């Protein structure tokens, strides 16, 4: 086996010069002027991507070879409940002439392909990157032996969703064009490790392309199942084709304690900024940034040891719109930054309107321009 060591990975990362800090300062120093909240402009009312008859989630945008902006996202029919993301989701592509959109549906990219495959029943958590000549689409896929859910079925109550959740595995697909054809990995690129902190699943991939095509990949897992705490780990590969090997045997963040297990993070978006990594991610319970479902900003020299930024809060569920109104979104998740010429220009997020998180009337992928 050709081992990909942490030392080899860090040596490669040190040579990368592209990218721009959002907090152009030393790790841990406060820089309020350049913090995320102060970079956000009002959100366009008709921006992003929505479909009337579908739940929409997981925004990830890349500029195609045609000069247009292509959003890879997840959708599932509104015939089913919002909770069917884990049983019925499929990854699609939408297109816009401008980064803010609105994006128009173009095609299904990763449909269900049969229960004999690890991703045979559902694909979700799209993350698209350009690596050399290839567009590489990371995602999680899952399968289940149960009959396909019917409209009206409560898949979390009858257990189908929980069984599907436990089969989540990170996979990838690649193509030389955003239009495909796409070649899918036949097996997951990261498997759970029995007896370790990441024994249950692998999901929520967040890739970073490093010099020479090397890849840093953050992923989510847990020791047992879907109960908190959910934890994040890091893997690396010499090329996008793998193999992907862990860069640490321990989770990257452990905010929980024996007396407060409901304190964790998910949905990381990671990038390289001149000489270090940065990320934004979701504070699930709000004990870190002060808002349930709000965002956290963190920094790292090596992708293994992370420090919370100052200020720590990256974003809020409260959104200011271009017409002067302000709303508190039911959800604001799966943050994604679009970089152009090394600069972050737009923040995308999966969002929804509803009385409280996950009790949504509709969902869509919104966009916030950045100063």
């Amino acid at each position: 086996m050709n081992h990909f060591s942490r030392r080899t990975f860090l040596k490669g990362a040190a040579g990368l010069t592209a990218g721009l800090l959002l907090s152009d300062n030393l790790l841990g120093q406060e820089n309020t002027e350049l913090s995320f909240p102060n970079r956000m402009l009002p959100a366009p009312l008709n921006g992003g991507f929505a479909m009337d008859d579908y739940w929409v989630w997981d925004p990830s945008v890349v500029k195609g070879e045609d000069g247009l902006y292509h959003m890879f996202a997840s959708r599932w029919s509104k015939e089913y409940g919002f909770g069917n993301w884990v049983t019925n989701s499929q990854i699609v592509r939408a297109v816009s002439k401008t980064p803010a959109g609105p994006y128009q549906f173009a095609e299904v990219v990763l449909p269900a392909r049969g229960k004999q495959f690890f991703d045979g029943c559902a694909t979700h958590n799209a993350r698209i990157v350009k690596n050399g000549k290839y567009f590489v689409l990371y995602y999680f896929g899952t399968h289940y032996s149960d009959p396909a859910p019917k409209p009206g079925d409560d898949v979390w109550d009858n257990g189908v969703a929980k069984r599907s959740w436990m089969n989540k595995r990170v996979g990838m697909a690649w193509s030389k064009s955003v239009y495909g054809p796409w070649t899918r990995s036949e097996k997951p690129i990261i498997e759970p490790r029995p007896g370790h902190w990441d024994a249950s699943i692998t999901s929520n991939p967040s890739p970073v392309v490093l010099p020479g095509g090397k890849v840093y990949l953050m992923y989510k897992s847990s020791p047992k199942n879907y109960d908190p705490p959910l934890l994040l780990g890091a893997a690396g590969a010499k090329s996008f084709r793998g193999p992907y090997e862990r860069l640490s045997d321990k989770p990257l963040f452990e905010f929980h304690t024996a007396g407060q297990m409901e304190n964790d993070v998910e949905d990381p978006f990671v990038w390289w900024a001149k000489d270090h990594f940065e990320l934004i991610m979701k504070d699930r319970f709000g004990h870190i940034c002060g808002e349930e479902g709000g965002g956290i900003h963190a920094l790292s020299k090596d992708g293994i040891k992370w420090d919370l930024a100052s200020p720590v809060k990256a974003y809020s569920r409260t959104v200011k719109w271009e017409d002067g109104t302000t709303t508190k979104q039911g959800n604001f998740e799966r943050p994604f930054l679009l970089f152009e010429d090394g600069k972050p220009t737009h923040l995308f997020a999966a969002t929804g309107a509803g009385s409280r998180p996950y009790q949504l009337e509709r969902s869509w992928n919104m966009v916030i321009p950045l100063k």
Side-chain angles (χ1 to χ4, degrees):
M1 182 177 180
N2 186 14
H3 288 286
F4 182 61
S5 69
R6 176 180 172 186
R7 179 177 296 178
T8 302
F9 169 79
L10 293 176
K11 184 178 180 181
L16 187 60
T17 58
L20 177 73
L21 289 76
L22 281 184
S23 54
D24 195 7
N25 57 340
L26 298 176
L27 300 188
Q29 286 187 346
E30 186 166 0
N31 192 330
T32 303
E33 180 182 356
L34 294 176
S35 65
F36 270 89
N38 289 320
R39 287 213 170 195
M40 293 183 186
L41 297 171
L45 290 168
N46 296 315
F49 175 47
M51 299 186 74
D52 290 340
D53 297 327
Y54 289 86
W55 303 102
V56 173
W57 213 247
D58 291 325
S60 183
V61 177
V62 69
K63 196 171 187 178
E65 68 270 24
D66 55 4
L68 301 177
Y69 295 87
H70 297 259
M71 179 185 290
F72 290 78
S74 303
R75 76 168 191 182
W76 58 107
S77 174
K78 290 195 77 173
E79 290 184 327
Y80 304 94
F82 181 77
N84 285 63
W85 61 269
V86 75
T87 55
N88 294 78
S89 176
Q90 56 183 198
I91 290 175
V92 301
R93 180 175 61 85
V95 186
S96 172
K97 292 182 179 180
T98 64
Y103 288 77
Q104 301 299 320
F105 171 77
E107 64 172 340
V108 176
V109 178
L110 299 180
R113 59 171 176 168
K115 295 184 177 183
Q116 69 272 30
F117 294 99
F118 79 94
D119 57 353
C121 293
T123 54
H124 199 69
N125 282 173
R127 279 290 165 86
I128 186 76
V129 295
K130 187 74 184 298
N131 193 329
K133 297 180 180 179
Y134 290 91
F135 294 93
V136 186
L137 177 60
Y138 293 82
Y139 64 97
F140 86 68
T142 188
H143 66 280
Y144 44 90
S145 59
D146 304 84
K150 298 178 181 179
D153 286 353
D154 188 333
V155 293
W156 287 95
D157 184 62
N158 66 23
V160 178
K162 294 177 181 178
R163 289 187 285 275
S164 183
W165 199 95
M166 292 298 293
N167 287 330
K168 293 197 297 181
R169 303 290 185 270
V170 171
M172 65 178 179
W174 59 92
S175 172
K176 290 185 177 180
S177 169
V178 289
Y179 294 92
W182 295 90
T183 301
R184 288 201 221 187
S185 55
E186 292 300 308
K187 297 180 179 180
I189 62 174
I190 311 175
E191 291 276 12
R193 297 183 298 171
H196 291 260
W197 70 267
D198 51 359
S200 61
I201 61 165
T202 60
S203 72
N204 296 60
S206 184
V208 181
V209 179
L210 298 171
K214 295 178 181 178
V215 180
Y216 171 94
L217 183 67
M218 194 173 285
Y219 66 97
K220 182 176 84 173
S221 188
S222 65
K224 294 182 179 180
N225 55 24
Y226 30 78
D227 294 328
L230 302 177
L231 302 168
L232 302 177
K238 290 182 178 179
S239 79
F240 75 85
R241 298 179 187 270
Y244 288 81
E245 300 184 12
R246 265 74 172 186
L247 298 175
S248 174
D249 284 331
K250 296 181 179 180
L252 303 177
F253 302 94
E254 292 185 90
F255 296 108
H256 64 283
T257 63
Q260 190 180 55
M261 301 300 281
E262 292 188 343
N263 191 13
D264 60 16
V265 293
E266 65 173 353
D267 292 348
F269 176 85
V270 191
W271 71 98
W272 180 260
K274 291 184 179 179
D275 61 354
H276 66 273
F277 292 93
E278 297 198 32
L279 67 74
I280 52 178
M281 58 186 173
K282 173 189 167 187
D283 181 356
R284 282 220 299 161
F285 299 97
H287 301 310
I288 305 159
C289 76
E291 179 184 351
E292 179 186 359
I296 295 169
H297 184 195
L299 310 95
S300 174
K301 285 291 187 182
D302 60 5
I304 309 302
K305 184 182 183 299
W306 288 84
D307 296 305
L308 297 179
S310 181
V312 66
K313 194 167 187 177
Y315 56 81
S316 171
R317 285 166 48 202
T318 299
V319 174
K320 295 181 180 179
W321 302 94
E322 62 184 357
D323 66 353
T325 61
T326 299
T327 61
K328 186 168 186 177
Q329 300 301 101
N331 288 74
F332 190 96
E333 303 189 2
R334 298 292 295 159
F336 178 90
L337 285 171
L338 176 65
F339 284 79
E340 294 204 82
D341 299 323
K343 298 179 180 180
T345 61
H346 295 79
L347 170 65
F348 294 82
T351 194
S355 58
R356 57 192 178 92
Y358 306 110
Q359 303 299 314
L360 303 179
E361 300 163 3
R362 60 185 290 258
S363 71
W364 69 100
N365 289 336
M366 67 171 293
V367 58
I368 298 176
L370 300 175
K371 295 178 184 177

